[in-house]
Amino acid sequence: MPRDITVGQFLPGHSIMHRLDPRTKIVLTFFFIIQVFISKSAISLSFLIALLGVFIACSQVSPGKVFKGVRPMIPVIIFTAVLNIFYGSGDPVLSFSIFHITKQGLFTGFTLMVRLTALIAGCSLITYTTSLNTLAAGLEQLLSPFKRFHLKVGELSMTIAITLRFLPTLADEFDRIIDAQKARGAEFGSGNFIKRIKSYFPVILPLFMSAFRRAFELTNAIECRCYRGGEGRTKMSVLRLSKTDVGAILLFLLAFSLTIIFNVLFPFQY
């Protein structure tokens, strides 16, 4: 399962999505998250899926790679969807004991599953098509107005970038510890649910020790380079919006507006 964690991985390329300014991609991702949660009707959900397909095509990242990052979250998505099936009132479909399944609950569970899948797949595209240094620079530029409120924008953007960078690294470290434990005769994934959970306890301590060791090494490397935040630092490459960025923002605003129109004109009828 940790091998499926793809958040934080950068796939170099020359696609339209790769060439966009990181600030544009951050803004588009933010509004895409909003669009995911305001898509309520069947038409707007279908449009959301089509829009996600356009994003994947523009990024030139294989759909299998994109949805590979969704796999670790499938149990959470299914569990959340099942809970919503039993929540709410409406036309009954099936009843047993204190549980009642309704048409409205089935639709709510299905739409939530689609939303969460689209959310994870869509948000992963920004790390696939943006290097972490560029992403940190874009975050710093977008958050720069908050400097007047004494927010340490440079440190915050760098912290977010480092966090994303170390997610796949910790996943690889988890796999190495598992392989080392198996070589010593440990068994994982056998027995009942409780035994499976307990079998991973010997992995947690080495993983935390490795994470702390990497954190100390990174801290020493930063201090040796005399990093003192973003104040007074110059940029090797200055970010500038191009016509492609403006066009992408305008097209997405059009798609965002269409989602709102679809929700109003074609509400779902149970």
Side-chain angles (χ1 to χ4, degrees):
M1 189 66 71
R3 292 182 175 89
D4 295 332
I5 297 177
T6 57
V7 176
Q9 294 183 3
F10 170 59
L11 305 177
H14 303 283
S15 67
I16 297 175
M17 194 77 74
H18 283 83
R19 295 197 301 268
L20 288 178
D21 189 281
R23 294 169 295 177
T24 301
K25 285 183 274 191
I26 294 171
V27 171
L28 293 183
T29 302
F30 175 76
F31 279 99
F32 180 77
I33 294 173
I34 297 176
Q35 186 174 359
V36 166
F37 287 102
I38 66 173
S39 298
K40 298 180 179 180
S41 66
I43 299 295
S44 59
L45 281 173
S46 301
F47 181 68
L48 177 69
I49 295 173
L51 187 63
L52 178 61
V54 172
F55 285 163
I56 294 175
C58 291
S59 68
Q60 295 182 358
V61 179
S62 66
K65 182 72 174 179
V66 174
F67 288 100
K68 183 180 180 181
V70 182
R71 288 176 58 185
M73 297 301 297
I74 287 178
V76 178
I77 293 173
I78 294 177
F79 179 74
T80 307
V82 170
L83 282 182
N84 279 268
I85 289 176
F86 299 101
Y87 178 76
S89 59
D91 302 327
V93 175
L94 182 65
S95 299
F96 55 94
S97 184
I98 60 175
F99 301 102
H100 305 281
I101 300 177
T102 63
K103 292 181 180 179
Q104 289 81 354
L106 288 172
F107 179 74
T108 301
F110 174 76
T111 56
L112 184 61
M113 186 166 56
V114 172
R115 289 177 185 176
L116 291 177
T117 303
L119 179 65
I120 298 170
C123 291
S124 64
L125 288 177
I126 190 172
T127 57
Y128 287 145
T129 60
T130 314
S131 65
L132 292 179
N133 290 336
T134 307
L135 184 62
L139 280 171
E140 186 174 354
Q141 289 279 337
L142 287 175
L143 296 175
S144 58
F146 292 98
K147 288 182 179 179
R148 65 185 65 183
F149 301 108
H150 305 289
L151 178 66
K152 296 182 178 180
V153 174
E155 290 85 339
L156 178 61
S157 59
M158 189 178 115
T159 301
I160 295 174
I162 291 175
T163 302
L164 292 174
R165 170 62 184 86
F166 272 90
L167 285 177
T169 302
L170 289 178
D172 291 338
E173 186 71 22
F174 182 85
D175 288 333
R176 285 194 290 269
I177 295 173
I178 289 290
D179 293 337
Q181 294 285 357
K182 287 181 178 179
R184 293 174 174 83
E187 293 185 2
F188 299 93
S190 61
N192 56 34
F193 180 76
I194 302 298
K195 289 183 178 180
R196 291 181 183 180
I197 296 297
K198 288 182 178 180
S199 65
Y200 284 98
F201 284 171
V203 181
I204 296 176
L205 182 59
L207 184 63
F208 270 96
M209 293 298 295
S210 175
F212 285 126
R213 187 188 74 251
R214 291 180 183 274
F216 284 128
E217 291 175 352
L218 181 61
T219 301
N220 291 332
I222 292 175
E223 290 181 349
C224 289
R225 288 164 176 79
C226 300
Y227 178 79
R228 295 295 181 268
E231 293 297 330
R233 297 177 65 227
T234 58
K235 306 294 182 183
M236 185 174 66
S237 57
V238 180
L239 299 177
R240 291 186 177 89
L241 293 177
S242 64
K243 294 180 180 179
T244 306
D245 295 296
V246 177
I249 293 174
L250 292 177
L251 287 175
F252 188 81
L253 287 177
L254 176 61
F256 191 85
S257 302
L258 286 175
T259 300
I260 298 175
I261 294 172
F262 289 150
N263 282 332
V264 175
L265 296 182
F266 305 103
F268 184 80
Q269 300 296 329
Y270 294 101

